[in-house]
Amino acid sequence: MSKMTAKVPVSVLIPALNEELNLPACLESVARADEVFVVDSQSSDRSIEISEQYGANVVQFHFNGRWPKKKNWSLENLPFRNEWVLIVDCDERITPELWDEIEEAIQDNNYNGYYLNRKVFFLGKWIRYGGKYPDWNLRLFRHPLGRYENLNTEDIPNTGDNEVHEHVILEGNVGYLKEDMLHIDFRDIYHWLQRHNRYSNWEARVYYNLLTGQDDSGTIGANLFGDAVQRKRFLKRIWVKLPFKPLLRFVLFYFIRLGFLDGHAGYIYARLLSQYEYQIGVKLYELRQFGGKLNINQNHQKADTETPSEPIKVEL
């Protein structure tokens, strides 16, 4: 069997919910993996059918509204037959060049995981500037040794059942791969806005936790002299205390980090990020007004918390 068709001893984990537009390209890009799991949240479109057509193992995840969320639950419960797991979102693609590098990297016993760099595409254009590149994510690791951090946001509604921007905490040494992973969403701006409306709930709670000095044990931590992700977390602690963040985010992205070099797509992206920052700020204000809770019906919230969590079964 040639190198191009040989299976790489890696298990791919793909979290999904109504992703029929993105799944074909994603699944095609991970065809070199020894096995693929699509962990679905009761999709109502053709996601399950498409996943099965590409030979993926489809597992249903039933969220209990608290913890763990989808990726951590998958790491704990899926019967991976490989030590190495690669986590890929539906709007991401693994290139042949990256697969070649992965195949070689997992043979190095000095490392337990690797950061992958993402190229983010928006309106058909690679957003190279504005601070969007490089964009390091720890996605390839020995699965018994890594779990996603818990940032204590699970009490906030409408954040979804999947980890948003949480990072993996991994035992041992971590390396960096050279080839890029592609982030290409085939859905329209409506879905971008819908997704970031949900993300801003999560982000507002993270801001609130930082401002109230919540303990960060069990997270990657904030360290100016740590890795790229820890440095970003350190800077976020400063960022949450600044005024005029929507304006600052536009200026930072579009001018200071040269987002204008990405043309009209870069301008639109900068405006949307500024709007996203405003949404976070409004929801942070709401959290402060209501003692760390979003302004929802308290009786309904109480009923939800009193509902017992049902056992979750793996369906293969």
Side-chain angles (χ1 to χ4, degrees), residues 44-247:
S44 58
D45 63 2
R46 296 179 58 248
S47 292
I48 298 173
E49 177 187 346
I50 292 169
S51 300
E52 291 174 342
Q53 287 176 351
Y54 279 86
N57 301 297
V58 179
V59 176
Q60 288 299 326
F61 172 64
H62 299 271
F63 186 40
N64 64 10
R66 289 176 286 278
W67 190 260
K69 289 195 172 186
K70 188 183 292 183
K71 293 175 185 175
N72 256 10
W73 177 87
S74 300
L75 291 169
E76 289 286 348
N77 291 279
L78 294 186
F80 299 118
R81 64 173 175 243
N82 299 290
E83 182 183 24
W84 286 88
V85 66
L86 173 65
I87 298 179
V88 183
D89 289 338
C90 292
D91 53 10
E92 294 171 341
R93 321 283 179 252
I94 307 299
T95 66
E97 295 78 14
L98 181 52
W99 271 120
D100 290 341
E101 190 176 8
I102 289 172
E103 187 173 22
E104 182 177 349
I106 61 175
Q107 298 176 37
D108 190 338
N109 293 324
N110 294 315
Y111 294 98
N112 289 335
Y114 293 93
Y115 280 100
L116 276 62
N117 195 10
R118 294 196 310 174
K119 277 186 176 180
V120 175
F121 288 78
F122 179 74
L123 294 176
K125 181 177 179 58
W126 172 27
I127 303 300
R128 183 174 183 176
Y129 300 97
K132 293 302 294 181
Y133 187 86
D135 181 21
W136 294 106
N137 291 264
L138 182 54
R139 297 295 192 84
L140 176 67
F141 54 94
R142 302 180 196 269
H143 74 82
L145 304 178
R147 293 294 182 269
Y148 279 85
E149 62 183 345
N150 183 356
L151 294 176
N152 297 305
T153 61
E154 58 268 23
D155 60 336
I156 297 300
N158 300 317
T159 60
D161 67 354
N162 195 26
E163 290 82 353
V164 181
H165 297 137
E166 290 91 342
H167 294 281
V168 173
I169 301 174
L170 184 69
E171 300 176 24
N173 294 328
V174 180
Y176 291 79
L177 299 186
K178 296 178 181 179
E179 297 293 336
D180 293 328
M181 172 172 59
L182 308 182
H183 181 284
I184 306 173
D185 194 341
F186 289 158
R187 295 169 301 179
D188 55 23
I189 296 295
Y190 169 87
H191 288 93
W192 193 99
L193 293 169
Q194 182 185 55
R195 185 167 68 251
H196 282 75
N197 185 30
R198 187 174 75 249
Y199 289 174
S200 60
N201 274 23
W202 179 91
E203 202 82 65
R205 181 65 196 200
V206 172
Y207 280 28
Y208 183 86
N209 291 345
L210 289 172
L211 289 170
T212 55
Q214 187 170 96
D215 180 22
D216 65 354
S217 59
T219 75
I220 61 168
N223 186 352
L224 181 60
F225 303 103
D227 61 28
V229 177
Q230 290 174 317
R231 287 195 299 273
K232 189 174 181 181
R233 185 68 56 81
F234 176 86
L235 294 173
K236 195 165 197 172
R237 286 187 170 184
I238 300 172
W239 173 260
V240 298
K241 298 177 182 179
L242 297 177
F244 310 115
K245 283 190 285 294
L247 175 61

